[in-house]
Tab-separated table of all heavy atoms in Angstrom:
chain	number	residue	atom	x	y	z
A	1	ILE	N	5.511	-23.673	3.667
A	1	ILE	CA	4.282	-23.281	2.821
A	1	ILE	C	3.554	-22.210	3.609
A	1	ILE	O	3.072	-21.272	2.875
A	1	ILE	CB	3.492	-24.537	2.569
A	1	ILE	CG1	4.216	-25.485	1.579
A	1	ILE	CG2	2.093	-24.132	2.093
A	1	ILE	CD1	3.546	-26.829	1.332
A	2	GLN	N	3.452	-22.343	4.846
A	2	GLN	CA	2.813	-21.255	5.692
A	2	GLN	C	3.536	-19.936	5.611
A	2	GLN	O	2.936	-18.900	5.609
A	2	GLN	CB	2.528	-21.811	7.074
A	2	GLN	CG	1.464	-22.943	7.103
A	2	GLN	CD	0.060	-22.536	6.469
A	2	GLN	OE1	-0.354	-21.507	6.821
A	2	GLN	NE2	-0.272	-23.479	5.803
A	3	LEU	N	4.818	-20.008	5.772
A	3	LEU	CA	5.623	-18.842	5.714
A	3	LEU	C	5.432	-18.187	4.345
A	3	LEU	O	5.404	-16.850	4.265
A	3	LEU	CB	7.101	-19.058	5.981
A	3	LEU	CG	7.407	-19.488	7.452
A	3	LEU	CD1	8.823	-19.993	7.526
A	3	LEU	CD2	7.080	-18.226	8.269
A	4	SER	N	5.447	-18.912	3.284
A	4	SER	CA	5.159	-18.237	2.055
A	4	SER	C	3.775	-17.575	1.932
A	4	SER	O	3.648	-16.509	1.273
A	4	SER	CB	5.231	-19.392	0.886
A	4	SER	OG	4.932	-18.842	-0.227
A	5	ALA	N	2.820	-18.118	2.528
A	5	ALA	CA	1.494	-17.614	2.635
A	5	ALA	C	1.474	-16.273	3.397
A	5	ALA	O	0.853	-15.371	2.983
A	5	ALA	CB	0.555	-18.618	3.196
A	6	ILE	N	2.128	-16.341	4.488
A	6	ILE	CA	2.373	-14.956	5.181
A	6	ILE	C	3.103	-14.100	4.427
A	6	ILE	O	2.606	-12.770	4.476
A	6	ILE	CB	3.090	-15.363	6.535
A	6	ILE	CG1	2.258	-16.223	7.462
A	6	ILE	CG2	3.485	-13.981	7.223
A	6	ILE	CD1	3.127	-16.800	8.631
A	7	ASP	N	4.119	-14.304	3.721
A	7	ASP	CA	4.855	-13.351	2.882
A	7	ASP	C	3.928	-12.786	1.903
A	7	ASP	O	3.879	-11.595	1.660
A	7	ASP	CB	6.097	-14.076	2.211
A	7	ASP	CG	6.819	-13.170	1.394
A	7	ASP	OD1	7.243	-12.005	1.838
A	7	ASP	OD2	7.064	-13.427	0.252
A	8	LYS	N	3.147	-13.542	1.240
A	8	LYS	CA	2.096	-13.032	0.219
A	8	LYS	C	1.066	-12.179	0.810
A	8	LYS	O	0.648	-11.122	0.317
A	8	LYS	CB	1.458	-14.207	-0.562
A	8	LYS	CG	2.429	-14.995	-1.434
A	8	LYS	CD	1.789	-16.101	-2.160
A	8	LYS	CE	2.864	-16.864	-3.036
A	8	LYS	NZ	2.272	-18.044	-3.561
A	9	SER	N	0.576	-12.588	2.083
A	9	SER	CA	-0.281	-11.705	2.738
A	9	SER	C	0.207	-10.307	3.098
A	9	SER	O	-0.437	-9.364	2.929
A	9	SER	CB	-0.825	-12.319	4.147
A	9	SER	OG	-1.494	-13.612	3.814
A	10	ILE	N	1.523	-10.268	3.586
A	10	ILE	CA	2.084	-9.132	3.875
A	10	ILE	C	2.379	-8.109	2.609
A	10	ILE	O	2.047	-6.998	2.712
A	10	ILE	CB	3.460	-9.296	4.655
A	10	ILE	CG1	3.219	-9.928	6.066
A	10	ILE	CG2	4.252	-7.981	4.743
A	10	ILE	CD1	4.411	-10.412	6.759
A	11	LYS	N	2.836	-8.818	1.569
A	11	LYS	CA	2.905	-7.952	0.389
A	11	LYS	C	1.693	-7.521	-0.259
A	11	LYS	O	1.624	-6.341	-0.621
A	11	LYS	CB	3.624	-8.920	-0.645
A	11	LYS	CG	5.157	-9.117	-0.454
A	11	LYS	CD	5.782	-10.053	-1.504
A	11	LYS	CE	7.295	-10.253	-1.097
A	11	LYS	NZ	7.854	-11.167	-1.999
A	12	SER	N	0.601	-8.296	-0.039
A	12	SER	CA	-0.709	-7.875	-0.626
A	12	SER	C	-1.185	-6.650	0.299
A	12	SER	O	-1.708	-5.680	-0.236
A	12	SER	CB	-1.601	-8.948	-0.373
A	12	SER	OG	-3.005	-8.565	-0.752
A	13	LEU	N	-0.972	-6.673	1.564
A	13	LEU	CA	-1.392	-5.667	2.527
A	13	LEU	C	-0.571	-4.446	2.197
A	13	LEU	O	-1.197	-3.268	2.250
A	13	LEU	CB	-1.177	-6.186	3.944
A	13	LEU	CG	-1.580	-5.058	5.007
A	13	LEU	CD1	-2.891	-4.514	4.810
A	13	LEU	CD2	-1.333	-5.526	6.483
A	14	ALA	N	0.695	-4.542	1.985
A	14	ALA	CA	1.519	-3.351	1.640
A	14	ALA	C	1.074	-2.774	0.355
A	14	ALA	O	1.067	-1.534	0.362
A	14	ALA	CB	3.102	-3.856	1.457
A	15	ASN	N	0.677	-3.524	-0.656
A	15	ASN	CA	0.087	-2.868	-1.903
A	15	ASN	C	-1.160	-2.152	-1.635
A	15	ASN	O	-1.396	-1.095	-2.239
A	15	ASN	CB	-0.045	-3.974	-2.863
A	15	ASN	CG	1.296	-4.454	-3.485
A	15	ASN	OD1	2.111	-3.660	-3.592
A	15	ASN	ND2	1.378	-5.746	-3.839
A	16	VAL	N	-1.967	-2.647	-0.674
A	16	VAL	CA	-3.224	-2.013	-0.419
A	16	VAL	C	-2.973	-0.531	0.302
A	16	VAL	O	-3.584	0.361	-0.061
A	16	VAL	CB	-4.168	-2.792	0.521
A	16	VAL	CG1	-5.311	-1.988	1.123
A	16	VAL	CG2	-4.649	-4.010	-0.202
A	17	ILE	N	-1.941	-0.623	1.129
A	17	ILE	CA	-1.702	0.607	1.870
A	17	ILE	C	-1.082	1.580	0.884
A	17	ILE	O	-1.281	2.723	0.869
A	17	ILE	CB	-0.728	0.319	3.021
A	17	ILE	CG1	-1.526	-0.451	4.075
A	17	ILE	CG2	-0.069	1.514	3.712
A	17	ILE	CD1	-0.743	-0.962	5.323
A	18	LEU	N	-0.085	1.190	-0.007
A	18	LEU	CA	0.474	1.965	-1.000
A	18	LEU	C	-0.532	2.527	-1.884
A	18	LEU	O	-0.478	3.690	-2.174
A	18	LEU	CB	1.523	1.147	-1.764
A	18	LEU	CG	2.221	1.826	-2.866
A	18	LEU	CD1	2.980	3.072	-2.347
A	18	LEU	CD2	3.193	0.890	-3.686
A	19	ASP	N	-1.381	1.738	-2.404
A	19	ASP	CA	-2.529	2.114	-3.305
A	19	ASP	C	-3.200	3.295	-2.486
A	19	ASP	O	-3.563	4.385	-3.085
A	19	ASP	CB	-3.366	0.999	-3.607
A	19	ASP	CG	-4.488	1.537	-4.612
A	19	ASP	OD1	-4.261	1.592	-5.757
A	19	ASP	OD2	-5.734	1.667	-4.094
A	20	ASN	N	-3.687	3.162	-1.276
A	20	ASN	CA	-4.374	4.067	-0.607
A	20	ASN	C	-3.614	5.361	-0.436
A	20	ASN	O	-4.143	6.447	-0.506
A	20	ASN	CB	-4.813	3.577	0.808
A	20	ASN	CG	-5.633	4.491	1.513
A	20	ASN	OD1	-6.626	4.990	1.206
A	20	ASN	ND2	-5.144	4.820	2.816
A	21	HIS	N	-2.356	5.176	-0.073
A	21	HIS	CA	-1.438	6.360	0.024
A	21	HIS	C	-1.320	7.296	-1.200
A	21	HIS	O	-1.392	8.538	-1.148
A	21	HIS	CB	-0.102	5.874	0.548
A	21	HIS	CG	1.003	6.862	0.639
A	21	HIS	ND1	0.778	8.010	1.490
A	21	HIS	CD2	2.170	7.179	-0.136
A	21	HIS	CE1	1.963	8.721	1.417
A	21	HIS	NE2	2.688	8.371	0.370
A	22	MET	N	-1.256	6.584	-2.396
A	22	MET	CA	-1.097	7.336	-3.654
A	22	MET	C	-2.433	7.969	-3.835
A	22	MET	O	-2.473	9.082	-4.504
A	22	MET	CB	-0.642	6.362	-4.742
A	22	MET	CG	0.653	5.916	-4.443
A	22	MET	SD	1.299	4.801	-5.946
A	22	MET	CE	1.475	6.078	-7.095
A	23	HIS	N	-3.550	7.460	-3.493
A	23	HIS	CA	-4.872	8.075	-3.797
A	23	HIS	C	-5.291	9.012	-2.850
A	23	HIS	O	-6.388	9.816	-3.111
A	23	HIS	CB	-5.911	7.012	-4.103
A	23	HIS	CG	-5.922	6.298	-5.273
A	23	HIS	ND1	-5.131	5.059	-5.408
A	23	HIS	CD2	-6.304	6.491	-6.448
A	23	HIS	CE1	-5.346	4.607	-6.684
A	23	HIS	NE2	-5.972	5.578	-7.290
A	24	THR	N	-4.660	9.190	-1.642
A	24	THR	CA	-5.085	10.150	-0.716
A	24	THR	C	-3.946	11.028	-0.386
A	24	THR	O	-3.951	12.173	-0.826
A	24	THR	CB	-5.504	9.381	0.637
A	24	THR	OG1	-4.397	8.605	1.111
A	24	THR	CG2	-6.839	8.593	0.325
A	25	CYS	N	-2.925	10.588	0.419
A	25	CYS	CA	-1.849	11.482	0.811
A	25	CYS	C	-1.089	12.097	-0.384
A	25	CYS	O	-0.787	13.308	-0.303
A	25	CYS	CB	-0.882	10.700	1.746
A	25	CYS	SG	-1.663	9.871	3.185
A	26	LEU	N	-0.751	11.236	-1.337
A	26	LEU	CA	0.133	11.838	-2.314
A	26	LEU	C	-0.598	12.938	-3.148
A	26	LEU	O	-0.050	13.910	-3.416
A	26	LEU	CB	0.434	10.554	-3.403
A	26	LEU	CG	1.517	11.058	-4.447
A	26	LEU	CD1	2.790	11.486	-3.862
A	26	LEU	CD2	1.566	9.863	-5.383
A	27	ILE	N	-1.848	12.639	-3.489
A	27	ILE	CA	-2.624	13.605	-4.246
A	27	ILE	C	-2.790	14.901	-3.468
A	27	ILE	O	-2.631	16.003	-3.908
A	27	ILE	CB	-3.912	13.007	-4.651
A	27	ILE	CG1	-3.811	11.984	-5.688
A	27	ILE	CG2	-4.961	14.119	-5.143
A	27	ILE	CD1	-5.076	11.143	-6.184
A	28	GLU	N	-3.127	14.816	-2.208
A	28	GLU	CA	-3.323	15.889	-1.282
A	28	GLU	C	-2.063	16.732	-1.170
A	28	GLU	O	-2.075	18.009	-1.169
A	28	GLU	CB	-3.695	15.437	0.125
A	28	GLU	CG	-4.044	16.520	1.057
A	28	GLU	CD	-4.486	15.955	2.389
A	28	GLU	OE1	-5.356	15.110	2.551
A	28	GLU	OE2	-3.829	16.327	3.503
A	29	ASN	N	-0.947	16.089	-0.936
A	29	ASN	CA	0.353	16.857	-0.961
A	29	ASN	C	0.695	17.553	-2.316
A	29	ASN	O	1.084	18.783	-2.212
A	29	ASN	CB	1.468	15.898	-0.582
A	29	ASN	CG	1.601	15.770	0.879
A	29	ASN	OD1	2.248	16.507	1.587
A	29	ASN	ND2	1.148	14.558	1.384
A	30	ILE	N	0.434	16.912	-3.354
A	30	ILE	CA	0.706	17.674	-4.647
A	30	ILE	C	-0.303	18.861	-4.878
A	30	ILE	O	0.221	19.843	-5.270
A	30	ILE	CB	0.671	16.694	-5.859
A	30	ILE	CG1	1.788	15.626	-5.700
A	30	ILE	CG2	0.558	17.327	-7.292
A	30	ILE	CD1	1.688	14.445	-6.717
A	31	GLU	N	-1.530	18.588	-4.518
A	31	GLU	CA	-2.551	19.703	-4.632
A	31	GLU	C	-2.184	20.873	-3.729
A	31	GLU	O	-2.427	22.115	-4.007
A	31	GLU	CB	-3.931	19.251	-4.255
A	31	GLU	CG	-4.455	18.343	-5.369
A	31	GLU	CD	-5.889	17.728	-4.984
A	31	GLU	OE1	-6.291	17.740	-3.794
A	31	GLU	OE2	-6.543	17.231	-5.827
A	32	ASN	N	-1.418	20.648	-2.556
A	32	ASN	CA	-0.972	21.634	-1.680
A	32	ASN	C	0.421	22.202	-2.052
A	32	ASN	O	0.990	22.953	-1.303
A	32	ASN	CB	-1.050	21.209	-0.191
A	32	ASN	CG	-2.472	21.055	0.316
A	32	ASN	OD1	-3.379	21.762	-0.274
A	32	ASN	ND2	-2.702	19.881	1.108
A	33	GLY	N	0.963	21.797	-3.187
A	33	GLY	CA	2.239	22.250	-3.643
A	33	GLY	C	3.373	21.634	-3.140
A	33	GLY	O	4.528	22.089	-3.183
C-alpha cells in the first residue's frame, strides 16, 4: 500500500514537471524557432 502511494506521488510529480516544461521550455523553444 505504501509503495502504491509512492508510485502515485512520483507520477503526480512527473506530471507537474511535464506541465511546467510545456508551459515554459517548450513554448520558449518554439518561439525561438
Side-chain angles (χ1 to χ4, degrees):
I1 290 168
Q2 290 305 312
L3 288 172
S4 177
I6 293 168
D7 183 54
K8 289 177 185 174
S9 295
I10 291 171
K11 286 178 181 174
S12 175
L13 179 57
N15 285 328
V16 167
I17 293 171
L18 177 61
D19 182 78
N20 183 57
H21 176 62
M22 291 183 74
H23 284 95
T24 58
C25 304
L26 184 66
I27 291 173
E28 184 179 306
N29 275 280
I30 291 171
E31 288 175 346
N32 291 328

